[in-house]
């Protein structure tokens, strides 16, 4: 069963802008100092270090790939650089977290300049370890769907996103 029309991933435009509708089969938790919930706003200063990403589902013979992108670059009203790639970790063993995976693209902290941006974490189940080898040539104009297709990953098994916007000096205090 695919996501319901009321699901925050659909309402927030993640399904359509980043991924196709899918059936969530794996539980994923993304934690900075707080856990990420769909559509909640986090301050860029609170997400400067890569998060802990916990995967619940599978076993030590199951591997996952995590992709983090921003589909709203340079700004939500004209995202002509869609998507901007922030992070790729692959070969993450099931029942562990992303720190046990192989970082293919180093974490880049969110730094939105114009408007409210969505930062999307998408989890794919791999068919085997070492399956992901096609690296993107650029962080800009990255396409999660194309990356998944090039690496034979299929549809996601989990996804979550948060919103962030540029911090003023007053908001940082």
């Amino acid at each position: 069963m695919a996501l319901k029309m009321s699901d925050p991933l659909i309402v927030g435009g993640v399904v359509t802008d980043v991924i196709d509708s899918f059936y969530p089969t794996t539980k994923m938790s993304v934690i900075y100092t707080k856990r990420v919930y769909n559509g909640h706003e986090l301050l860029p200063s609170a997400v400067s270090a890569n998060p802990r990403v916990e995967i619940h589902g599978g076993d030590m013979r199951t591997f996952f790939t995590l992709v983090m992108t921003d589909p709203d670059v340079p700004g939500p009203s004209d995202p002509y650089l869609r998507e901007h790639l922030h992070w790729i970790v692959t070969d993450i063993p099931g029942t562990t977290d992303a720190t046990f995976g192989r970082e293919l693209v180093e974490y880049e902290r969110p730094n939105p300049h114009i408007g409210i941006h969505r930062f999307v974490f998408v989890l794919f189940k791999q068919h085997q370890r070492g399956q992901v080898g096609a690296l993107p040539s650029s962080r800009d104009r990255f396409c999660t769907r194309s990356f998944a297709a090039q690496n034979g990953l299929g549809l996601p098994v989990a996804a979550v996103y948060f919103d962030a916007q540029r911090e003023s000096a007053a908001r940082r205090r």
Side-chain angles (χ1 to χ4, degrees):
M1 186 167 101
L3 298 171
K4 294 180 180 170
M5 293 305 290
S6 60
D7 190 283
L9 292 169
I10 291 176
V11 174
V14 171
V15 170
T16 62
D17 289 348
V18 180
I19 54 177
D20 294 323
S21 190
F22 69 99
Y23 179 69
T25 58
T26 303
K27 187 173 164 57
M28 171 177 68
S29 300
V30 177
I31 303 139
Y32 286 95
T33 53
K34 297 179 181 176
R35 184 174 172 175
V36 172
Y37 291 98
N38 284 321
H40 288 207
E41 184 173 352
L42 297 176
L43 298 174
S45 58
V47 296
S48 59
N50 47 317
R52 190 171 81 244
V53 179
E54 298 173 349
I55 299 167
H56 311 279
D59 53 38
M60 293 306 283
R61 294 180 311 268
T62 308
F63 295 94
F64 296 91
T65 293
L66 177 73
V67 174
M68 177 188 178
T69 70
D70 173 358
D72 300 314
V73 174
S77 62
D78 185 19
Y80 64 87
L81 295 176
R82 172 178 294 163
E83 303 160 46
H84 183 81
L85 178 62
H86 281 267
W87 199 24
I88 296 178
V89 183
T90 188
D91 295 337
I92 305 166
T95 70
T96 64
D97 68 60
T99 58
F100 291 93
R102 188 168 54 108
E103 190 176 59
L104 292 185
V105 176
E106 189 176 307
Y107 181 82
E108 180 181 280
R109 71 180 187 84
N111 189 22
H113 294 290
I114 303 165
I116 298 172
H117 290 235
R118 297 164 293 167
F119 293 90
V120 182
F121 294 88
V122 183
L123 188 69
F124 297 95
K125 185 176 180 180
Q126 296 173 212
H127 300 292
Q128 62 190 26
R129 186 181 192 142
Q131 175 179 340
V132 177
L135 286 174
S137 58
S138 169
R139 286 185 186 257
D140 285 329
R141 293 186 178 89
F142 177 79
C143 180
T144 299
R145 285 182 184 95
S146 296
F147 176 79
Q150 289 169 347
N151 288 287
L153 295 171
L155 290 173
V157 294
V160 67
Y161 80 100
F162 67 90
D163 293 329
Q165 60 185 311
R166 185 176 183 167
E167 283 182 75
S168 65
R171 287 185 77 203
R172 276 188 231 121
R173 287 189 208 135

